[in-house]
Amino acid sequence: MANKQQNSIAIVAEKLVKKYGEGVLAVDGIDLSIRANTIYALLGPNGAGKTTTVNMLTTLFEPTGGSASVLGFDVVRQANDVRRNIGVTFQEMVLDEELTGRQVLDYHGRLYKLETAERKKKTEELLAIIELQEAADRMVKTYSGGMKRRLELVRGLMTEPKVLFLDEPTSGLDPQNRASIWQYIRSLREKGDLTLLLTTHYMEEAEELADIVGIIDHGRLVVEGTPRELIDKMGADTIRLAGTGDSDRYLKELQALPFVQSSVDTGGLIQIGVDSGNHRLPEVVTLATKNNFKIEDISVAKPSLGDVFLKYTGRQLRDK
Amino acid sequence: MSAALTLWNKHLTKLIARKEEAFGTLFQPILWIVLFGTGMAAVIGAESPDAKNAYITFMVPGIIALTAMTGAIEGGLTLLFERLQGIIKEYLVSPIPRPSILFGNALSTVSKSLAQASIILGVGLLMGAQFIGLDPLGWLGGLVLIIALGLGFAGIGLAVASKASSPGGYHMLIFMLTLPLLFLSNALYPIVSLPTWMQIGARVNPVSYGVDGLRQTLFDSGSSLAGGEFLPLWLCFVVVSVFAALGMILAYSSFKKSVK
Ligand SMILES: Nc1ncnc2c1ncn2[C@@H]1O[C@H](COP(=O)(O)OP(=O)(O)OP(=O)(O)O)[C@@H](O)[C@H]1O
Ligand SMILES: [Mg+2]
């Protein structure tokens, strides 16, 4: 069975394409191969195609081209097998506001044909985890944004899915809610037997949670790796500088220096990955002067995933 | 089937929680029959108690059709909101058969219609409508007709709700489709009193068959007004069943396109 053979790979996408109508190529040939029991974070600017990718993997709509499978089940031909095994939290709120929190979980369980006793048990257990017992019999419309989001997150877990998709699970939440959701996600992973694909704009979220990060832009996967790998590729330190002059020539000369590991101009801000920032600063400045590049601002920092993100996706707004 | 029942249960739970709407659902048919019935009886000059009772008897099935229609419009609206608010996505990524999303909705629409129909029949009785008495076959036939009429209307509502992109657009379209079905029929006035072109319309309209069927199954059959003949009862059942089936098919084909 396909299911057995690919046991160690939970999510596969091959040359996945989605076109909306005639014009918009939202996903432009994405390949993914996500190992079981890992947390994979899909990063990308607004409009990069994250939600569209997730929607195809969760069988919400069919790809225009390519193929994908979850747990070995094809998302088009075996959509129902996929659906039985996944939990999904959508980017925007999808909650029936005129039900109580407890009813939301209960009806969800019924749709998946859980027995009454099991539904009850699971509902109480999940309500306790998200600290929503007191509000459980109030209408969802009386909940705060954080309460709603926590409820949505655990709804996806009523059915003990093997693969969980979370589209921007913590967007718009306060630090308390975010921390509690992170902790919850980590605890899920520790329990084992759960693969998690999440999308996010928050670099620290990806850094905190993800085993593997994939950055997508314009519907394509531009880079993939563990957060550590990606950050290390940037160099040990990052020198950031802004100034005026012929930045192209300056950049070219910089790249020729042996200690420069990466350098990129993200529209006015030049980022240079070097082995040691404090030591190399003078040389970088000297080279600028030699090239008539006038530095106006300069700083040294440890690179972060945010630097990786900007390096691969640039600074331009995507959803113009 | 179990998914459809779950959604049916959920819709009715929500309806009961919305107290004003639940109350309105039950009260609205009373208003129709009391106000419209009394008014129309006066307009057509049914002054003697007998003539008035005859008109009420005539009109009660028409009001049942009318409430089935309004109920179906609301049912479609439920689907439309679930679509627009994205709630339908929860269903679409779950392993339930897609038609059950529609079927659950149609079930709640029909249950509401049945509750409303019982109220209408009760109030009609108080106002002098002449029922068949205890004829089980008649009541069973009436039940089948009300359900089938409800399914047909529900199908139209769901088909439009699958296409519409806003509540405003939905209402425009749905009224264009359903108003002629109601008023170009024998539901509220006898066919024979209509101008010829309307008579033709009423004769090809499934609602006329549903309503005339009800008149024959539930009521004392002396009650065809103005010397009009009833449409043949067997034909009423055939036409209304086809109406129900077509409604559901239309809804499903429209819905399938919307969730691609
Ligand atoms: N239903 C639709 N019809 C037409 N175009 C769409 C539709 N949905 C998304 N798009 C377009 O497809 C592209 C990818 O959108 P998508 O929602 O997948 O991006 P995203 O990475 O999730 O963005 P965000 O971070 O803002 O959620 C965008 O250009 C968007 O405008
Ligand atoms: Mg998105």
Side-chain angles (χ1 to χ4, degrees):
Chain A
M1 293 236 325
N3 197 10
K4 281 273 150 60
Q5 282 167 16
Q6 305 190 340
N7 223 354
S8 55
I9 306 288
I11 302 173
V12 181
E14 277 162 0
K15 301 197 176 60
L16 204 57
V17 173
K18 181 70 189 182
K19 269 194 198 123
Y20 288 112
E22 285 304 298
V24 188
L25 192 57
V27 171
D28 185 12
I30 283 188
D31 292 304
L32 288 174
S33 174
I34 300 177
R35 298 243 318 270
N37 302 326
T38 55
I39 300 184
Y40 188 101
L42 210 48
L43 296 178
N46 287 129
K50 303 181 293 297
T51 298
T52 307
T53 304
V54 169
N55 285 350
M56 289 188 281
L57 294 174
T58 55
T59 76
L60 200 55
F61 42 64
E62 295 181 3
T64 319
S67 66
S69 65
V70 174
L71 298 172
F73 297 117
D74 187 275
V75 295
V76 179
R77 279 176 285 116
Q78 295 164 296
N80 256 331
D81 294 304
V82 175
R83 289 175 190 142
R84 252 188 283 281
N85 287 292
I86 62 173
V88 188
T89 301
F90 302 98
Q91 178 172 353
E92 70 280 24
M93 210 198 45
V94 174
L95 273 179
D96 225 317
E97 301 231 321
E98 291 175 20
L99 294 175
T100 67
R102 186 172 268 118
Q103 286 172 333
V104 164
L105 297 182
D106 190 63
Y107 280 119
H108 189 77
R110 285 194 202 192
L111 286 180
Y112 289 73
K113 295 192 182 154
L114 296 189
E115 299 295 332
T116 314
E118 194 183 348
R119 276 194 333 256
K120 288 230 161 71
K121 184 174 142 260
K122 204 77 200 153
T123 302
E124 294 316 313
E125 189 186 310
L126 293 174
L127 285 172
I129 290 174
I130 55 172
E131 297 176 36
L132 214 69
Q133 295 117 310
E134 272 160 46
D137 292 313
R138 256 167 45 201
M139 292 268 171
V140 170
K141 64 183 166 202
T142 67
Y143 289 7
S144 72
M147 293 161 87
K148 288 178 186 167
R149 198 57 173 164
R150 294 192 326 255
L151 180 63
E152 280 196 301
L153 281 174
V154 294
R155 178 180 62 189
L157 290 158
M158 272 297 280
T159 55
E160 303 192 348
K162 295 203 182 64
V163 182
L164 189 62
F165 294 88
L166 307 177
D167 199 354
E168 300 196 18
T170 64
S171 72
L173 295 186
D174 66 14
Q176 286 82 355
N177 265 304
R178 183 166 306 159
S180 101
I181 286 173
W182 286 356
Q183 194 195 346
Y184 181 48
I185 291 176
R186 270 192 228 107
S187 76
L188 284 178
R189 189 261 273 294
E190 267 148 36
K191 270 189 235 151
D193 206 20
L194 180 78
T195 310
L196 207 152
L197 173 64
L198 64 92
T199 79
T200 182
H201 293 290
Y202 298 115
M203 299 304 141
E204 68 281 22
E205 184 159 296
E207 239 173 308
E208 280 280 334
L209 297 175
D211 302 307
I212 307 283
V213 169
I215 297 180
I216 72 171
D217 197 10
H218 302 298
R220 292 169 168 276
L221 194 66
V222 287
V223 68
E224 191 181 56
T226 67
R228 200 64 269 152
E229 269 167 28
L230 296 181
I231 291 168
D232 286 348
K233 253 197 244 166
M234 297 289 291
D237 284 332
T238 299
I239 297 176
R240 293 198 190 101
L241 58 86
T244 48
D246 187 348
S247 60
D248 287 347
R249 206 178 78 196
Y250 177 42
L251 227 60
K252 212 178 259 159
E253 300 230 346
L254 273 174
Q255 271 149 17
L257 295 177
F259 60 82
V260 170
Q261 286 150 341
S262 73
S263 67
V264 59
D265 182 354
T266 56
L269 189 76
I270 295 177
Q271 295 193 46
I272 310 152
V274 295
D275 52 0
S276 165
N278 292 337
H279 284 104
R280 304 302 186 186
L281 200 56
E283 287 178 72
V284 168
V285 174
T286 315
L287 192 66
T289 322
K290 239 197 270 173
N291 283 288
N292 276 331
F293 187 84
K294 192 162 167 291
I295 295 177
E296 282 153 2
D297 188 56
I298 188 161
S299 63
V300 180
K302 293 272 169 224
S304 68
L305 201 56
D307 297 318
V308 177
F309 186 77
L310 287 178
K311 172 179 170 194
Y312 286 102
T313 61
R315 298 216 140 218
Q316 280 204 330
L317 289 181
R318 291 313 136 82
D319 48 353
K320 279 185 291 198
Chain B
M1 198 58 202
S2 84
L5 287 177
T6 299
L7 296 180
W8 168 78
N9 182 312
K10 173 171 150 178
H11 290 144
L12 291 191
T13 305
K14 280 171 69 181
L15 174 69
I16 293 165
R18 290 194 298 259
K19 298 209 174 49
E20 321 82 53
E21 197 183 323
F23 175 76
T25 302
L26 299 179
F27 197 67
Q28 195 190 27
I30 303 183
L31 283 182
W32 269 106
I33 184 166
V34 172
L35 297 179
F36 192 76
T38 315
M40 272 301 272
V43 167
I44 64 165
E47 268 149 24
S48 73
D50 275 357
K52 192 164 172 247
N53 287 353
Y55 181 70
I56 297 290
T57 307
F58 174 83
M59 191 207 55
V60 163
I63 300 290
I64 290 177
L66 179 132
T67 46
M69 187 187 97
T70 22
I73 292 174
E74 282 157 26
L77 215 49
T78 304
L79 177 70
L80 182 70
F81 280 125
E82 287 188 340
R83 259 187 65 223
L84 297 182
Q85 294 170 353
I87 290 171
I88 198 165
K89 290 193 214 163
E90 183 195 347
Y91 310 150
L92 292 177
V93 299
S94 77
I96 65 172
R98 308 248 150 148
S100 60
I101 300 172
L102 293 177
F103 208 61
N105 186 306
L107 272 182
S108 22
T109 301
V110 170
S111 333
K112 269 195 286 179
S113 298
L114 284 175
Q116 291 176 317
S118 347
I119 291 179
I120 295 168
L121 292 173
V123 176
L125 187 65
L126 293 178
M127 288 180 64
Q130 325 258 291
F131 288 98
I132 40 164
L134 288 172
D135 172 3
L137 214 58
W139 286 100
L140 185 67
L143 185 70
V144 168
L145 287 171
I146 295 174
I147 291 175
L149 210 53
L151 284 176
F153 277 127
I156 297 174
L158 294 171
V160 177
S162 302
K163 282 247 173 346
S165 51
S166 72
Y170 172 76
H171 275 121
M172 274 304 283
L173 248 164
I174 196 75
F175 280 121
M176 265 173 28
L177 286 173
T178 50
L179 282 187
L181 275 179
L182 188 72
F183 289 105
L184 208 56
S185 78
N186 63 0
L188 305 172
Y189 21 73
I191 287 194
V192 286
S193 56
L194 297 175
T196 318
W197 68 271
M198 277 184 84
Q199 285 201 22
I200 297 170
R203 274 182 196 284
V204 297
N205 181 349
V207 175
S208 298
Y209 293 82
V211 173
D212 244 20
L214 284 176
R215 286 188 181 124
Q216 295 169 74
T217 48
L218 294 186
F219 296 89
D220 205 3
S221 29
S223 51
S224 172
L225 273 195
E229 294 273 305
F230 283 123
L231 298 159
L233 187 56
W234 67 270
L235 192 59
C236 292
F237 276 96
V238 171
V239 171
V240 176
S241 309
V242 171
F243 177 57
L246 279 183
M248 286 291 116
I249 291 169
L250 184 70
Y252 188 56
S253 72
S254 165
F255 179 72
K256 235 174 34 190
K257 278 183 215 130
S258 78
V259 296
K260 260 284 150 183

